[in-house]
Amino acid sequence: MKEISKFYKSLIQEVVTRQIANEEGDNQEQTFTRMCLELLSEAGETENSDVAFYERDLGTKNQLKINGYAIADNYETVDLFISIYEGADEPVTIYKDNIDTAVKRLTNFFRKTIYSDLGNEIEESSSIFEFVNTLGTYKELRDSLIRVNAFILTNGIYKGEIPSNIEISGYKIIYRVLDINYLYQISEEAHAPITINLEEGGWKIPCLHAPSRNEDYDAYVAILPGEFLYDLYDVYGGRLLEQNVRSFLQFTGKINQKIRDTIKTAPHMFLAYNNGIAATADDMDVDSNGYIRSISNFQIVNGGQTTASIYHTKKRDKADISDIYVQVKFSIVKKKDEYVKIVSDISKYANTQNKVNNADFSANNPILVELEKVSRYVMTPITPERSIQTYWFFERARSQYKNIRLKEGFTQSRQKAFDLKYPKNQMFTKVELAKYINCFEEIYEGNKLVIAPHIVVRGSEKNYAQFIAKNLPTSPRKINNIYFEDTIAKAILFKTADELYGTKRKGNNIGELKSVVVPYTLGLLNHMIGGKINLYKIWKNQKVSEPLKNLIYSIMLQVNPFIINISPSNNYLEWAKKEECWIAVRDNKEWKCDLDSIKEDLIDPNNPITRKVTVNSGLEDDKYEHDLRVLKSIPYRIWLKIANWGAESGMLNLNQQSKAKEIANDLKYDQKLSPVTVTRGMNIFNIVYDENYELLEEIDNPSKEEPEKELPKVENIAVKKGFNDIDIELVKKMVEWDRRNHVLESWKFQIMQDVAIGLRPLTGKLKWVLRYNLQAMISKGFKLD
């Protein structure tokens, strides 16, 4: 419960922070919805989700409300979201009456959309119009739709019954309540687990346990009835597929013709003809007679096409599948701390017949791992608007930014320093990376465009899958500071265009197609100038020039109505996902663009830019300096407490206890810490952070029983020259001088810079420390006058 409480408080704080900074006019309920959809997308619970608020007739029998929606790529599934958000300090209890009201509102919304022309009752400027119009009139969606997931999202605690599923116009609606406990679970897990109770479902399926004994996994083999797989797919759909496989095989649910023919004409031969299914799980409960009771965290890693084909052949062709049986191999992963890696490896090898590249399984993709490393060590240039260097933080894995911020910021001053070095608005995820890069590219496979702006419009998951498969550098060696700087320049361009398009909150939005017009405009601009934009200039300035901004805005003003006018229907978003739409925009000859106005922003072929690769060689040295700063930020008295705590709790072994005392002694007498000591010290720090964070909190809250000792007076060059004190103005002068001359070690400069910009108070202790800095700088030519 303690962890849930911490998660809740963190979530509430994040909602407030985001809502204040939000430009789209979201209130806290919508901000909460947006955060939930991000979690659900990353956990594989939904895809292509979007926040869109609409409500009316509240308190009446016709009341309806929706906070968000999602349409799966294969149109099989539509997700509806409604939120119950409470801003209390602690999680509140959500009662069944609250859930029933939410169910009524969401159900009324779907019924009115399906049965009536709700699109004519909603203004086109409404955020929900595109969805209502698509759901109500788009034939391909209505023909393919087999399930509607109705999610009730809440930051409260709900322990009541889940509303029963219903059917409207032939579409099954499955209700789910996702409360704070569930949100916490999926924030901690790699995906949302599926647990199947076979006894409750009346299924008696025997299995055989493989005799192999090892530490990694257990293996079982079973024969699954086709009806069992049909029922699973009916409820869970694409969620059954291990997330990487679902994303990177671009699972569509289309019926494999050969599988379909076997089911219809020779169902008894299915077991002989089919290769079967490979699945993973956390645990399998088997009774004494060898029958499966339940399967925890069930995921299909190979055989999704088989499962979907069985389902659709029965559903659409009314085929009899009572004689269909499928062989399945279950791998029960034992090493929970290596779960993601092991499952990813099983997925990779199980899918070799589908020619899935190693790069497709992206959680530990070496290209992205290298990009993450580079992002931690490449600092932005100093600009006239910003006198300090910062980082663009690439979040390769979910919650990295939040977790590292917590770990780095174990004191208030360190948290402020982290926020200054890694601004939240300079954090980007792997799906955003794909968006920033793909909108500038055109890549063909034969006659088909597999990378282009219309792919970006198709949504985060699909665009990211194409990026990984078709547009990722082929080797980690190609990931260096130049690639990273160009990527950030594209990110700055994208963010600039996004801001220029305008927002509803400010009332300056060009239209309602921002997700289309921004990538289309950047792709069109890049096409018109032949890819000659000077990305290095944008990186150096950390902004887009005014002439280039003006041109981008001018193009967007033209692209927005153009797409609407050439659309064959009023489903503009669906039209913009098609290659034909992008080709029409790209090849139009009537654009009015003053390309001469941005000559200074283009690469001059007569004066090519010379750039040096400056990353990769020094990463280990930078890591040592970083870790050294962390260890030195912990006072020696705390290191002694760590040693004692480790002995009393048993959390530290004898060597670690001894090392903690050694570090305390070295820090007390200002001894140098060796690289080996720093490495072992960080291991100890990680244990303390995970098991007794309260010890670290004492750094900001020293015990009254342990007053800070008076610091000895230091005779140095500065004092001899008549300078008896250090004030903030001198510190600023020292910072500016050392930024040019690089006399001090990086961590010493960082402390001094933190004082100069107000992140650290200029205490007597720091004045004493900074005198040593001053002494070193004077010896190298720094002048006090």
Side-chain angles (χ1 to χ4, degrees):
M1 195 63 188
K2 182 180 178 182
E3 292 302 316
I4 294 289
S5 180
K6 286 171 64 176
F7 172 74
Y8 177 84
K9 289 178 180 177
S10 174
L11 183 142
I12 294 295
Q13 183 180 17
E14 181 75 3
V15 166
V16 173
T17 302
R18 284 202 194 188
Q19 192 265 332
I20 292 173
N22 185 268
E23 293 291 337
E24 297 297 332
D26 288 354
N27 57 24
Q28 289 190 9
E29 181 180 276
Q30 285 300 86
T31 304
F32 166 72
T33 305
R34 195 177 298 277
M35 291 172 62
C36 289
L37 298 194
E38 290 171 4
L39 279 175
L40 292 170
S41 295
E42 291 166 352
E45 289 266 1
T46 188
E47 59 178 317
N48 305 326
S49 59
D50 202 356
V51 173
F53 179 78
Y54 182 74
E55 66 178 15
R56 77 182 201 193
D57 301 328
L58 300 188
T60 72
K61 67 177 183 178
N62 296 319
Q63 60 186 314
L64 51 86
K65 178 181 176 182
I66 189 170
N67 290 86
Y69 67 89
I71 303 175
D73 283 331
N74 57 13
Y75 299 134
E76 281 186 0
T77 302
V78 163
D79 297 331
L80 309 176
F81 302 95
I82 188 170
S83 294
I84 302 173
Y85 178 75
E86 302 288 344
D89 293 336
E90 296 290 341
V92 301
T93 298
I94 302 298
Y95 297 101
K96 192 172 184 301
D97 287 349
N98 304 123
I99 300 300
D100 289 343
T101 299
V103 166
K104 182 182 296 184
R105 292 172 175 177
L106 209 52
T107 305
N108 284 347
F109 172 85
F110 180 77
R111 181 182 287 111
K112 190 166 182 60
T113 302
I114 286 293
Y115 281 126
S116 66
D117 194 5
L118 183 59
N120 288 334
E121 302 175 23
I122 298 176
E123 294 182 4
E124 288 195 24
S125 61
S126 170
S127 59
I128 200 66
F129 174 79
E130 183 71 35
F131 173 64
V132 169
N133 197 40
T134 301
L135 184 59
T137 64
Y138 198 55
K139 186 177 185 303
E140 187 176 352
L141 170 61
R142 293 176 70 109
D143 289 346
S144 303
L145 185 60
I146 58 177
R147 78 181 61 78
V148 177
N149 295 317
F151 293 89
I152 296 99
L153 310 172
T154 178
N155 64 330
I157 298 173
Y158 181 67
K159 297 181 179 179
E161 295 180 354
I162 304 301
S164 300
N165 301 336
I166 64 171
E167 201 169 281
I168 295 178
S169 190
Y171 302 117
K172 179 181 291 186
I173 301 184
I174 302 169
Y175 296 99
R176 299 178 62 194
V177 179
L178 310 187
D179 69 353
I180 191 66
N181 291 297
Y182 191 89
L183 295 175
Y184 170 73
Q185 182 184 19
I186 63 172
S187 75
E188 298 299 310
E189 300 285 345
H191 61 272
I194 293 174
T195 298
I196 301 165
N197 191 315
L198 280 75
E199 287 186 325
E200 287 184 0
W203 294 101
K204 289 184 69 66
I205 299 176
C207 68
L208 290 176
H209 185 202
S212 173
R213 295 182 180 180
N214 61 81
E215 296 180 352
D216 294 327
Y217 76 103
D218 277 330
Y220 293 84
V221 177
I223 304 296
L224 299 181
E227 293 283 3
F228 176 74
L229 289 173
Y230 176 90
D231 287 350
L232 285 184
Y233 195 84
D234 192 46
V235 174
Y236 298 109
R239 283 186 60 213
L240 288 171
L241 298 187
E242 196 275 323
Q243 191 172 356
N244 284 329
V245 176
R246 177 172 61 252
S247 296
F248 300 108
L249 294 184
Q250 286 299 289
F251 183 71
T252 62
K254 293 180 180 178
I255 302 174
N256 181 293
Q257 190 60 45
K258 291 183 179 179
I259 296 177
R260 180 188 184 195
D261 290 343
T262 301
I263 294 172
K264 295 176 69 176
T265 62
H268 62 289
M269 297 301 295
F270 193 90
L271 186 61
Y273 292 164
N274 189 264
N275 288 331
I277 290 171
T280 61
D282 277 351
D283 188 35
M284 181 181 287
D285 184 12
V286 180
D287 68 18
S288 57
N289 296 316
Y291 286 94
I292 304 172
R293 289 196 185 101
S294 63
I295 307 169
S296 300
N297 207 355
F298 177 83
Q299 290 277 277
I300 293 174
V301 297
N302 179 259
Q305 193 66 234
T306 295
T307 307
S309 295
I310 290 172
Y311 177 85
H312 287 293
T313 305
K314 176 181 177 179
K315 183 81 172 179
R316 297 175 185 173
D317 298 336
K318 311 301 180 185
D320 180 4
I321 63 171
S322 59
D323 287 335
I324 299 295
Y325 291 90
V326 182
Q327 162 189 303
V328 62
K329 176 184 68 178
F330 289 103
S331 298
I332 312 301
V333 181
K334 292 180 181 179
K335 291 186 176 180
K336 307 308 177 188
D337 56 337
E338 296 184 25
Y339 178 86
V340 174
K341 180 182 184 303
I342 292 174
V343 172
S344 181
D345 286 345
I346 293 172
S347 302
K348 179 169 62 180
Y349 294 113
N351 282 283
T352 52
Q353 67 270 32
N354 293 321
K355 298 182 180 179
V356 181
N357 298 323
N358 289 347
D360 292 348
F361 299 88
S362 67
N364 297 301
N365 182 285
I367 309 296
L368 299 185
V369 169
E370 192 65 25
L371 186 66
E372 176 193 343
K373 289 179 183 177
V374 173
S375 81
R376 302 299 187 267
Y377 298 106
V378 174
M379 300 188 78
T380 62
I382 298 294
T383 68
E385 292 82 12
R386 184 182 294 173
S387 60
I388 61 171
Q389 293 181 287
T390 62
Y391 296 89
W392 282 78
F393 187 105
F394 173 51
E395 187 176 68
R396 176 179 59 85
R398 175 162 50 93
S399 299
Q400 265 186 325
Y401 182 88
K402 180 182 74 174
N403 293 336
I404 292 176
R405 183 178 184 271
L406 288 172
K407 210 161 194 174
E408 292 274 309
F410 53 83
T411 69
Q412 290 182 356
S413 60
R414 287 188 63 83
Q415 194 168 88
K416 288 180 180 178
F418 181 88
D419 291 342
L420 191 72
K421 286 195 300 182
Y422 301 101
K424 183 67 179 291
N425 66 342
Q426 290 180 192
M427 185 274 285
F428 61 104
T429 65
K430 54 184 182 288
V431 295
E432 289 172 325
L433 168 73
K435 179 172 64 176
Y436 298 150
I437 293 178
N438 277 0
C439 68
F440 285 90
E441 307 274 349
E442 274 196 332
I443 297 176
Y444 279 89
E445 276 191 357
N447 295 322
K448 185 176 179 60
L449 267 173
V450 294
I451 297 291
H454 70 283
I455 301 294
V456 177
V457 177
R458 291 181 183 179
S460 298
E461 291 84 1
K462 197 152 193 173
N463 178 60
Y464 176 62
Q466 290 297 94
F467 171 70
I468 290 292
K470 312 294 183 184
N471 202 18
L472 202 64
T474 54
S475 168
R477 293 180 181 178
K478 295 186 178 181
I479 303 298
N480 52 35
N481 61 298
I482 295 176
Y483 180 88
F484 182 74
E485 290 165 4
D486 286 352
T487 296
I488 299 308
K490 292 173 182 177
I492 293 170
L493 276 164
F494 196 100
K495 287 172 172 282
T496 300
D498 191 81
E499 183 179 355
L500 287 171
Y501 190 92
T503 65
K504 296 173 188 174
R505 185 176 188 177
K506 293 182 178 179
N508 64 341
N509 50 316
I510 291 173
E512 302 301 322
L513 292 175
K514 178 187 281 192
S515 63
V516 175
V517 174
V518 168
Y520 265 64
T521 294
L522 294 176
L524 177 60
L525 173 63
N526 202 48
H527 173 74
M528 288 191 292
I529 61 177
K532 299 299 183 183
I533 193 164
N534 189 339
L535 296 174
Y536 187 50
K537 178 183 177 182
I538 296 173
W539 161 257
K540 286 195 301 181
N541 295 326
Q542 290 293 291
K543 67 176 184 178
V544 177
S545 72
E546 287 301 316
L548 184 52
K549 286 169 65 174
N550 292 337
L551 181 61
I552 290 171
Y553 185 69
S554 171
I555 295 173
M556 288 196 296
L557 286 174
Q558 299 173 68
V559 169
N560 200 92
F562 182 84
I563 291 174
I564 292 173
N565 292 336
I566 66 171
S567 175
S569 71
N570 55 5
N571 293 299
Y572 309 127
L573 185 59
E574 293 301 317
W575 163 241
K577 295 177 183 179
K578 298 182 183 299
E579 183 176 325
E580 303 95 291
C581 181
W582 163 243
I583 296 297
V585 170
R586 184 196 67 186
D587 294 347
N588 178 47
K589 305 299 182 184
E590 304 301 320
W591 302 118
K592 298 177 181 178
C593 302
D594 182 11
L595 297 182
D596 288 338
S597 67
I598 60 166
K599 280 185 178 180
E600 297 299 319
D601 295 292
L602 304 183
I603 296 172
D604 182 358
N606 299 319
N607 187 24
I609 301 169
T610 302
R611 299 170 70 180
K612 294 181 180 180
V613 176
T614 60
V615 147
N616 291 336
S617 59
L619 294 189
E620 288 304 315
D621 291 339
D622 287 340
K623 186 179 187 309
Y624 167 77
E625 291 290 343
H626 168 271
D627 292 348
L628 181 64
R629 288 197 298 271
V630 171
L631 299 188
K632 284 193 169 187
S633 68
I634 304 173
Y636 79 88
R637 61 182 179 81
I638 300 295
W639 279 108
L640 291 175
K641 284 193 173 187
I642 287 172
N644 294 333
W645 165 79
E648 293 170 1
S649 65
M651 296 305 301
L652 299 180
N653 60 38
L654 289 175
N655 288 335
Q656 289 170 325
Q657 295 167 34
S658 175
K659 181 57 69 175
K661 292 177 182 177
E662 179 186 322
I663 292 172
N665 187 70
D666 288 345
L667 292 178
K668 183 176 182 180
Y669 295 104
D670 199 25
Q671 299 296 309
K672 184 177 180 180
L673 302 185
S674 70
V676 172
T677 295
V678 169
T679 299
R680 293 177 180 174
M682 285 302 294
N683 291 337
I684 295 169
F685 167 78
N686 288 331
I687 293 171
V688 175
Y689 181 86
D690 291 334
E691 303 295 339
N692 191 2
Y693 185 82
E694 288 76 10
L695 259 180
L696 299 175
E697 289 181 333
E698 290 187 25
I699 296 171
D700 268 352
N701 302 291
S703 171
K704 292 182 180 180
E705 298 176 3
E706 300 178 18
E708 190 172 309
K709 294 180 181 179
E710 185 178 348
L711 296 169
K713 295 181 180 179
V714 179
E715 291 296 324
N716 56 36
I717 294 176
V719 175
K720 288 179 180 179
K721 284 182 174 287
F723 189 81
N724 295 315
D725 204 355
I726 292 179
D727 60 20
I728 195 69
E729 292 305 317
L730 177 60
V731 175
K732 291 179 179 178
K733 184 178 177 182
M734 291 164 66
V735 168
E736 291 303 319
W737 186 88
D738 195 63
R739 182 176 285 124
R740 297 189 300 272
N741 294 279
H742 304 290
V743 169
L744 301 177
E745 297 173 52
S746 61
W747 68 271
K748 290 181 180 178
F749 174 80
Q750 185 64 53
I751 291 174
M752 192 166 65
Q753 181 173 262
D754 288 350
V755 173
I757 62 178
L759 284 180
R760 290 174 181 259
L762 186 56
T763 62
K765 182 176 180 178
L766 271 179
K767 288 181 181 180
W768 178 62
V769 171
L770 292 180
R771 281 178 183 160
Y772 284 106
N773 288 2
L774 183 58
Q775 180 176 350
M777 292 167 59
I778 288 175
S779 69
K780 297 295 184 180
F782 178 76
K783 304 295 184 184
L784 284 171
D785 298 328

